Amino acid sequence: MRLGLVGYGAGGRLFHAPYIRAVPEIDLVGVVTRSPDRRRDVAADLPDVAVFDSLGDLLDAGVDAVTITTPPDTRRDLVLEAVRRGVHVVADKPFAPDAAGGRELAAAADGAGVLLSVFHNRRWDTDLETVRRILPRLGEVWRVESRFDLDEPGSLDAGPSGGLLRDLGAHMVDQVLTVFGPAVSVTAHLDQIDQPEGRTDCGFTVAIAHRDGVHSTVSASKINHVSARQWRIYGSAGAYVSDGTDVQTDQIKQGRRPADDLDNWGYERPDRLGTLHTADGVVAVPSAQGRYDEFYRQFAAAVDRQGPQPVPARDGIATLEVLDAARDSAIDGATVRL
């Protein structure tokens, strides 16, 4: 599959290109960026990959699919441009500002007969893969807490189209919907700050009642100078507690790349393993392997009609519906039913 990458900021450089390059079924043939600094980054990281000034130029060169990883306020028009040219699309999250916008893009892709996948790569997080593995040992799951604090004030997307809820919140909500099922109600609080671009949410707590009876809470912050990645899962047979790390992101920032050693990629540090608490005592739980490249492997197979999409647009819309409800809940101070 010939794939083009639109945008080469932190997202394109750290979260897309390394994992695309780890999939033999994909040939990364072009990057779209006009920034001189970004062009230098592409030349250093991907010396065999062409650079284009616009999505149109990339499409004219010939690709089967594109990944759109530009800022949220530019994403809609670029997705629609690619779809209208008959090209399959991976859209970074949030793939639309709200659920209505997501439905518009999904309808356009369906009408054009192309695939539209949402880059919820954190379905393949190391800690989430470990959670999936341990769930059968917890009996009936009652309550779930997922916390993700980042000490990254400078990376907060500001203004009405930004905010932490739409950014990290999209991943965290998608994770609990994927594992614990659809939401029936949402109650939320947003921390807000004033920035030159406008009022911006910089932290959140979102409580979700799931259709099957599980109650989950996801929370995050970005400007409070604390870092943590935690799970607490309570069930009829015990509990699972995890205070781990952002494994694959940390590895990328250390200069490692998945294509160099996939067999040893994406495992939690031995000193940060989660623990299972039952009547039999407390035991450490071995780390599952996290593999963001699996998103692109599944996407390539779907383009080749050899399997389902990794995250179809309908899943992205379900996440956006929860995020919409969370914003309404925070404004009105009330629970929103879906």
Side-chain angles (χ1 to χ4, degrees):
M1 183 180 75
R2 290 172 54 83
L3 177 73
L5 179 59
V6 185
Y8 205 68
R13 189 178 193 189
L14 302 180
F15 290 98
H16 289 277
Y19 298 100
I20 295 168
R21 301 280 273 190
V23 180
E25 296 86 355
I26 299 177
D27 185 11
L28 180 58
V29 297
V31 173
V32 175
T33 180
R34 286 191 290 269
S35 164
D37 290 340
R38 301 288 179 263
R39 282 175 169 262
R40 282 190 289 271
D41 290 340
V42 175
D45 300 340
L46 310 167
D48 57 334
V49 176
V51 181
F52 298 88
D53 287 331
S54 69
L55 173 59
D57 292 341
L58 172 66
L59 296 175
D60 289 342
V63 291
D64 302 303
V66 294
T67 291
I68 308 295
T69 180
T70 57
D73 56 354
T74 67
R75 204 162 291 155
R76 173 187 176 274
D77 290 345
L78 292 171
V79 170
L80 289 175
E81 181 180 354
V83 163
R84 288 165 183 155
R85 294 282 296 270
V87 171
H88 305 290
V89 177
V90 172
D92 217 333
K93 54 76 206 159
F95 86 115
D98 50 33
R103 295 187 194 99
E104 176 199 17
L105 298 181
D110 288 344
V114 298
L115 302 182
L116 173 58
S117 286
V118 183
F119 193 63
H120 285 161
N121 60 304
R122 288 191 177 274
R123 289 189 181 187
W124 292 271
D125 263 343
T126 300
D127 55 8
L128 189 67
E129 295 284 21
T130 307
V131 164
R132 294 178 199 269
R133 181 182 294 178
I134 204 67
L135 282 180
R137 300 171 66 179
L138 294 176
E140 178 188 357
V141 175
W142 298 331
R143 181 163 50 92
V144 178
E145 299 173 5
S146 173
R147 174 188 172 208
F148 202 163
D149 292 324
L150 293 168
D151 184 13
E152 298 180 1
S155 68
L156 180 66
D157 291 329
S161 65
L164 192 60
L165 181 68
R166 287 186 176 92
D167 180 15
L168 189 54
H171 283 307
M172 298 181 73
V173 168
D174 177 72
Q175 287 183 335
V176 294
L177 295 182
T178 299
V179 177
F180 301 105
V184 294
S185 69
V186 177
T187 309
H189 167 79
L190 301 181
D191 302 327
Q192 303 269 4
I193 57 173
D194 291 317
Q195 295 190 300
E197 298 85 351
R199 197 153 176 79
T200 304
D201 63 88
C202 59
F204 60 81
T205 296
V206 180
I208 301 171
H210 296 263
R211 183 183 298 165
D212 292 340
V214 176
H215 184 277
S216 69
T217 302
V218 298
S219 64
S221 67
K222 209 167 193 179
I223 70 165
N224 300 99
H225 309 293
V226 61
S227 297
R229 183 65 185 115
Q230 301 174 334
W231 286 90
R232 302 289 186 272
I233 305 177
Y234 303 90
S236 60
Y240 174 71
V241 175
S242 170
D243 291 272
T245 62
D246 192 6
V247 179
Q248 296 179 79
T249 302
D250 291 346
Q251 289 178 317
I252 287 289
K253 291 181 177 179
Q254 291 162 9
R256 299 172 60 184
R257 294 296 180 264
D260 297 335
D261 187 10
L262 270 176
D263 289 343
N264 293 304
W265 184 264
Y267 287 98
E268 184 56 271
R269 289 164 33 188
D271 63 322
R272 299 296 289 269
L273 297 180
T275 51
L276 175 66
H277 300 246
T278 68
D280 296 327
V282 180
V283 295
V285 177
S287 172
Q289 185 179 25
R291 290 278 298 272
Y292 292 161
D293 58 294
E294 188 61 26
F295 174 95
Y296 275 107
R297 188 167 286 103
Q298 292 186 23
F299 182 70
V303 169
D304 201 32
R305 301 183 180 179
Q306 299 298 314
Q309 293 187 68
V311 187
R314 65 177 177 274
D315 289 4
I317 293 168
T319 293
L320 289 169
E321 288 173 343
V322 172
L323 299 183
D324 290 350
R327 288 193 292 271
D328 291 341
S329 173
I331 292 171
D332 298 335
T335 295
V336 175
R337 300 200 174 275
L338 300 175

